Amino acid sequence: MSNQFDAYIDSISTFLAILFIQGIVFRKLREVKPNWFLNRRTVLLLNILLGVYYGLIGIYFIWRGELDSATVIYTNMRMNILLITAIFGGRVPVSIAYSIMVLGRIILDGFSPHDLKFILLLTGFFLICFIVTNFKLNLFKKYVIVFSCAIPVLAYYYFTDFGSHTILSYGEAIIYYSLFMATSALLFAASNYIDKSNKTMFQLRNSAMTDMLTNLPNIRYFLNTFEKYFLTSSKKRRPLSLIIIDIDHFKQINDLHGHQAGNTVLSQFSAILKNHFLPKQALISRIGGEEFSILLPNITLAESTQIAEIIRSEIERAVFPYNPKSGNVTISLGVSCHNDVNVFYKTKENLFEAADQALYSAKQGGRNQVQAARKEVQNV
């Protein structure tokens, strides 16, 4: 029994380490590639990788069970892999983990009648886990259902000759089932903690980078991304365009209709920008009160000026619930571009200043227009 206890401590320590490693990797991914968790294709890819990860761990437990002569302990762990993967990962990860474990069992042990029994056992528990993933329940309720369904599955395993262990007595079965109960509860708690803490960290980071009124990236996120885009543009000699947008006579809207009316206009304006078709990797941000920006990687000055004009025309035609005293809501736009027609800016600040100067020219020229940065005001 001492050997079984050592195997239990070793297996649960390994499982917890595996959970925390996966948690750290996913937390880092949320920081570096947050869009991966929003895009359907990348989410599918992450789910596949998650299934492969836990499937390989299942094969490791199969190997350790034979090596340590502790097959019951490690079979419990393999069932916990399916339980945790189903509840926190879903259908795709649990299906892949199950398939890899079955394949690993066949490769390691062959395909004897005893192996067939084990595969049927694992398949039965997998089907339970798979069905529960479709339930519209919270994580804890799903866990309770799967855990309850594990009782007859484990009873079949404990009291059937699988060739890898002797049929257990009732006392031994109670001990092993108690270990399974304690282990699954601990692993569920650890997984739940990791999942919630990762999502909380992401939400806090996201809220710190998002403008609460418009739900657009704020100035902090803009500056971080601007720096990355500028360095990439300089290194690869590819164009990077910047459009700065200012809502004309916005102060009049606030003075005439109140600040809540101004917020309504800002919200509608940002919604129009978000719904506007822009090139890949374009970043729309709110960088001031009524000031917005659009970063356009791999877009030339001529192309970005054309995009700016389309946006200006769209806003001019849009119907807003509140307007300034001067007429309809309009915008002025300033455009600059790095690495375009032999124009290079030494710093991102110079590129921003060029777009800001172009915006100033648009304001001075009568508003409701687009101005591109002139070469004589660029720091090249």
Side-chain angles (χ1 to χ4, degrees):
M1 196 68 184
S2 175
N3 182 48
Q4 299 290 315
F5 183 75
D6 290 341
Y8 171 72
I9 296 299
D10 178 69
S11 62
I12 198 169
S13 300
T14 301
F15 207 139
L16 287 172
I18 288 162
L19 285 176
F20 279 101
I21 290 170
Q22 179 241 313
I24 291 169
V25 171
F26 270 55
R27 177 176 293 185
K28 191 65 180 176
L29 278 176
R30 285 184 187 274
E31 293 175 2
V32 179
K33 300 287 185 181
N35 290 335
W36 281 21
F37 294 84
L38 303 174
N39 183 282
R40 188 173 296 179
R41 289 184 179 179
T42 49
V43 167
L44 177 61
L45 175 62
L46 290 173
N47 282 334
I48 291 172
L49 292 175
L50 191 65
V52 171
Y53 178 70
Y54 282 104
L56 293 175
I57 300 306
I59 292 178
Y60 168 77
F61 283 147
I62 292 172
W63 174 72
R64 283 303 303 269
E66 296 177 352
L67 186 68
D68 296 345
S69 300
T71 53
V72 178
I73 291 292
Y74 287 104
T75 297
N76 283 355
M77 287 299 168
R78 292 194 291 277
M79 292 180 66
N80 272 311
I81 285 177
L82 294 179
L83 185 152
I84 296 300
T85 309
I87 293 173
F88 292 96
R91 286 171 288 181
V92 174
V94 74
S95 299
I96 293 174
Y98 158 76
S99 301
I100 291 175
M101 282 194 281
V102 169
L103 184 62
R105 174 78 181 201
I106 294 172
I107 292 172
L108 291 175
D109 294 338
F111 201 71
S112 66
H114 292 306
D115 291 306
L116 181 59
K117 284 183 182 179
F118 177 82
I119 292 171
L120 289 173
L121 171 83
L122 204 62
T123 301
F125 191 65
F126 159 71
L127 290 175
I128 293 169
C129 294
F130 187 86
I131 292 169
V132 170
T133 60
N134 295 291
F135 294 169
K136 302 297 183 181
L137 300 172
N138 62 41
L139 297 177
F140 180 72
K141 288 180 180 178
K142 288 182 179 181
Y143 165 73
V144 171
I145 293 172
V146 176
F147 177 78
S148 301
C149 291
I151 298 174
V153 175
L154 285 173
Y156 171 72
Y157 177 67
Y158 293 159
F159 301 121
T160 303
D161 182 11
F162 275 76
S164 57
H165 67 278
T166 58
I167 297 175
L168 302 182
S169 66
Y170 288 110
E172 289 173 327
I174 290 172
I175 291 173
Y176 280 117
Y177 187 76
S178 298
L179 289 175
F180 175 80
M181 181 172 60
T183 303
S184 63
L186 176 61
L187 294 175
F188 174 80
S191 300
N192 195 41
Y193 170 78
I194 293 168
D195 184 61
K196 284 187 175 180
S197 62
N198 279 357
K199 289 177 179 177
T200 300
M201 289 292 291
F202 177 73
Q203 289 169 356
L204 288 173
R205 183 178 181 276
N206 192 46
S207 62
M209 295 287 189
T210 304
D211 177 66
M212 300 303 292
L213 175 64
T214 63
N215 207 30
L216 288 171
N218 60 17
I219 182 67
R220 182 179 177 185
Y221 189 89
F222 165 77
L223 291 174
N224 289 342
T225 307
F226 190 21
E227 183 174 8
K228 293 175 185 176
Y229 280 3
F230 188 84
L231 290 174
T232 301
S233 173
S234 299
K235 184 178 180 180
K236 296 185 177 181
R237 294 284 180 174
R238 293 177 180 172
L240 170 64
S241 290
L242 170 65
I243 302 174
I244 299 180
I245 308 169
D246 189 85
I247 301 177
D248 298 328
H249 302 295
F250 184 74
K251 186 175 183 298
Q252 291 182 14
I253 297 174
N254 281 335
D255 292 343
L256 280 173
H257 309 288
H259 289 282
Q260 188 58 46
N263 289 343
T264 302
V265 171
L266 288 171
S267 297
Q268 183 177 339
F269 173 71
S270 64
I272 293 173
L273 282 183
K274 283 186 283 188
N275 291 327
H276 188 82
F277 179 78
L278 291 171
K280 188 179 180 181
Q281 292 187 313
L283 176 72
I284 307 170
S285 307
R286 184 187 180 194
I287 57 174
E290 66 271 22
E291 202 165 82
F292 297 78
S293 68
I294 305 176
L295 279 171
L296 296 162
N298 304 316
I299 301 298
T300 65
L301 183 64
E303 292 169 333
S304 56
T305 302
Q306 185 178 15
I307 290 171
E309 176 57 33
I310 292 171
I311 294 172
R312 184 207 64 77
S313 177
E314 189 174 350
I315 296 301
E316 185 180 32
R317 295 193 307 270
V319 178
F320 288 84
Y322 304 100
N323 294 294
K325 185 167 57 176
S326 56
N328 294 334
V329 173
T330 59
I331 55 174
S332 299
L333 306 92
V335 187
S336 63
C337 185
H338 179 48
N339 270 329
D340 180 62
V341 196
N342 297 320
V343 177
F344 307 97
Y345 292 89
K346 293 180 180 178
T347 66
K348 68 180 189 301
E349 288 79 13
N350 295 145
L351 177 61
F352 187 92
E353 179 65 24
D356 198 47
Q357 286 293 325
L359 174 63
Y360 179 77
S361 298
K363 289 284 191 183
Q364 292 295 103
R367 295 181 170 84
N368 191 25
Q369 60 182 269
V370 177
Q371 287 288 337
R374 299 184 304 238
K375 288 187 178 180
E376 56 261 37
V377 300
Q378 293 172 336
N379 296 314
V380 299

